[in-house]
């Protein structure tokens, strides 16, 4: 079963981290990717740009509207994700607990099952 582990980011929390803490997060992600690649559970990951760089296409009752900025007014935003292929939801949770963000107050990981996927690498 495929699960997406969404990394919810609070930019204020990240800005308050020391250089050593930021480096440890990066190193922790590298170790996590190596481990789940070795176990065969890794499918892909992507880090996303800041919401200030987003463009939103929204239905407005007749014609789509294109606007700059995030889709919702919120301090937190999705900073990236891991797509994993695991035996169970419990295993997806076990993996999420290994991501460095899980140990930082103010950051969150959301685990959601993939209900449909298509594409060249699916």
């Amino acid at each position: 079963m495929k699960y997406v582990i969404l990394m919810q980011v609070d930019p204020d929390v990240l800005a308050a981290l020391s250089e050593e803490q930021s480096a440890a997060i990066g190193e922790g992600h590298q170790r996590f990717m190596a481990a789940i690649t070795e176990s065969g559970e890794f499918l892909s990951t992507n880090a996303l740009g800041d919401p200030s760089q987003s463009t939103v296409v929204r239905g407005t009752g007749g014609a789509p509207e294109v606007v700059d900025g995030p889709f919702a007014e919120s301090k937190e935003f999705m900073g990236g994700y891991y797509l994993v292929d695991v035996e169970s939801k419990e295993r997806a949770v076990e993996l999420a607990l290994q991501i460095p963000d899980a140990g930082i107050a103010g950051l969150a990981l959301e685990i959601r099952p993939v209900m449909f996927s298509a594409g060249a690498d699916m």
Side-chain angles (χ1 to χ4, degrees), residues 33-44:
M33 285 186 283
I36 64 174
T37 297
E38 185 175 318
S39 71
E41 296 168 308
F42 179 74
L43 294 176
S44 68

Side-chain angles (χ1 to χ4, degrees), residues 4-9 29 32-33 36 42-49 77-84 101 121-122:
V4 65
I5 302 171
L6 304 167
M7 294 176 276
Q8 301 295 330
V9 175
H29 278 277
F32 176 71
M33 285 186 283
I36 64 174
F42 179 74
L43 294 176
S44 68
T45 188
N46 285 287
L48 304 176
F77 61 90
M78 188 173 86
Y81 67 88
Y82 286 100
L83 181 61
V84 297
D101 306 42
D121 62 343
M122 299 298 149

